[in-house]
Amino acid sequence: MHSTLEFLLHHGYVVLLAWVFGEQIGLPVPSLPLLLAAGALAGTGHLNFFISLSICVFAAVSADSVWYALGRLKGIKVLQFLCKISLEPDSCVRRTEGVFSKQGARSLLVAKFLPGLSTVAPPLAGIFHMRPRRFLLFDAGGSLLWAGTFLGLGFIFSGQIERIAEHALSLGGWLLVLIVGVLASYIAYKFIARQRFLRELRIGRITAAELKEKIDAGEDLVIVDLRHSLDFEADPETIPGAFRMDAKELQEKNDRLPRDREVILYCT
Amino acid sequence: MALLLRNQGIRRIRPLQGGLDAWRDKGYPLANVALTQIWS
């Protein structure tokens, strides 16, 4: 354990750069504990606060620029891919697009504080062709705010964090077991909940071929396109005869849906 | 969403498996029109 600490102290900036870049590119490695630790190390004089901050901003903007470029090149498919690998894909697209459409470029300032939005906001900026200079300005601002906040908190509470770290280190190998156990339990819980949700939905799903047959047979259906308005800008095509309805609106005004007709819902 | 609406009493509701992508992959026709809301 001592050698690990020595390694962190000697290669702190490299670890910080790699870790923040890894998290921002989409790896499941939370940066928050590391930022707090780096702040605490800056508070005790082992690291330089401003160098740490600059490295974090550089790493975050570099990773975000990759997603931004992919968003510009590949369009909405990048967002769909990100949401597919998310543990909560059912709400992922709608939630992130909702925040982005309300706040625009300003959402990049707060994105890193919101789980799920952090990785998705840069490709969204690319998908909707935000100007590169504007993207870099707001993304750097958001990265500075995010890294500055947590490095700053670590710096201010360096004494307390040091005591917590000492207690944690006294647990030895059990600390690693505890961290891995909590993380694995969280992922397992989300996975099981999602499988249960999909199992319930699968019962009533309709395939594209079945829907086509019903349309061709002239059945009186209500087809509702639930995609967010931003999706239409990127991909304006829809199933013929479909009505567009915002998910929130559908939830609020569901009493106006016809009960005597079959209702087909779809999104991306 | 479908599950939520079903729990609120709309029984004849079915989500499209695979969404718009599944429809597109089958090569079925698509419309490129300004959509209207159901009650407008």
Side-chain angles (χ1 to χ4, degrees):
Chain A
M1 188 57 76
H2 183 70
S3 60
T4 310
L5 276 177
E6 284 290 314
F7 179 82
L8 279 174
L9 286 174
H10 284 104
H11 303 90
Y13 297 126
V14 177
V15 172
L16 204 55
L17 179 79
W19 198 283
V20 172
F21 184 86
E23 190 207 24
Q24 297 305 307
I25 210 76
L27 297 177
V29 284
S31 288
L32 198 148
L34 195 77
L35 290 178
L36 290 172
L41 286 173
T44 54
H46 290 96
L47 292 177
N48 181 292
F49 182 85
F50 293 103
I51 293 176
S52 302
L53 183 61
S54 305
I55 284 172
C56 290
V57 172
F58 175 75
V61 173
S62 300
D64 291 348
S65 298
V66 172
W67 283 117
Y68 171 78
L70 282 172
R72 278 184 84 101
L73 290 171
K74 301 285 180 187
I76 199 78
K77 288 198 182 299
V78 176
L79 185 62
Q80 288 168 351
F81 167 75
L82 277 173
C83 288
K84 262 180 196 163
I85 59 171
S86 153
L87 286 171
E88 295 179 65
D90 308 297
S91 58
C92 177
V93 176
R94 201 173 304 125
R95 188 178 61 218
T96 52
E97 286 183 338
V99 173
F100 203 83
S101 66
K102 275 183 198 160
Q103 301 296 327
R106 280 178 300 176
S107 62
L108 290 168
L109 292 174
V110 296
K112 301 214 180 301
F113 293 94
L114 303 174
L117 187 62
S118 178
T119 308
V120 172
L124 263 180
I127 288 165
F128 295 103
H129 291 270
M130 186 184 290
R131 282 175 311 195
R133 192 180 296 176
R134 188 173 170 80
F135 165 75
L136 285 174
L137 181 72
F138 279 91
D139 194 60
S143 301
L144 190 67
L145 204 62
W146 168 73
T149 300
F150 294 114
L151 283 172
L153 284 173
F155 188 90
I156 293 165
F157 297 105
S158 56
Q160 288 88 334
I161 289 173
E162 203 171 25
R163 276 198 291 279
I164 293 169
E166 279 168 11
H167 282 297
L169 287 175
S170 68
L171 291 172
W174 288 107
L175 177 64
L176 186 66
V177 173
L178 186 69
I179 291 169
V180 171
V182 168
L183 196 64
S185 303
Y186 173 77
I187 292 172
Y189 165 75
K190 286 283 183 185
F191 182 76
I192 291 167
R194 173 155 172 74
Q195 291 304 310
R196 192 181 299 146
F197 172 81
L198 287 177
R199 205 164 38 245
E200 284 185 70
L201 267 191
R202 206 169 288 133
I203 300 164
R205 282 191 173 190
I206 186 168
T207 64
E210 285 173 319
L211 177 59
K212 180 72 166 49
E213 272 177 35
K214 283 176 180 281
I215 293 171
D216 290 346
E219 282 193 34
D220 201 9
L221 303 169
V222 175
I223 306 171
V224 184
D225 189 326
L226 278 173
R227 288 180 299 158
H228 193 276
S229 57
L230 288 176
D231 281 324
F232 287 103
E233 287 178 38
D235 178 13
E237 290 185 320
T238 189
I239 294 174
F243 294 97
R244 181 198 152 194
M245 203 182 300
D246 185 79
K248 191 179 170 197
E249 195 176 15
L250 180 62
Q251 204 174 335
E252 287 170 357
K253 300 178 181 174
N254 72 66
D255 56 320
R256 297 170 76 172
L257 274 177
R259 262 56 177 179
D260 58 335
R261 291 155 70 186
E262 194 165 22
V263 179
I264 312 295
L265 302 177
Y266 71 89
C267 50
T268 51
Chain B
M1 177 55 71
L3 195 60
L4 186 75
L5 292 174
R6 198 179 292 166
N7 290 339
Q8 288 175 355
I10 302 167
R11 309 306 302 175
R12 300 185 65 190
I13 194 155
R14 297 173 76 182
L16 176 61
Q17 193 174 338
L20 184 61
D21 287 342
W23 180 269
R24 183 179 279 125
D25 291 346
K26 288 272 184 186
Y28 295 152
L30 288 160
N32 195 343
V33 292
L35 298 173
T36 52
Q37 292 193 340
I38 195 167
W39 32 74
S40 62

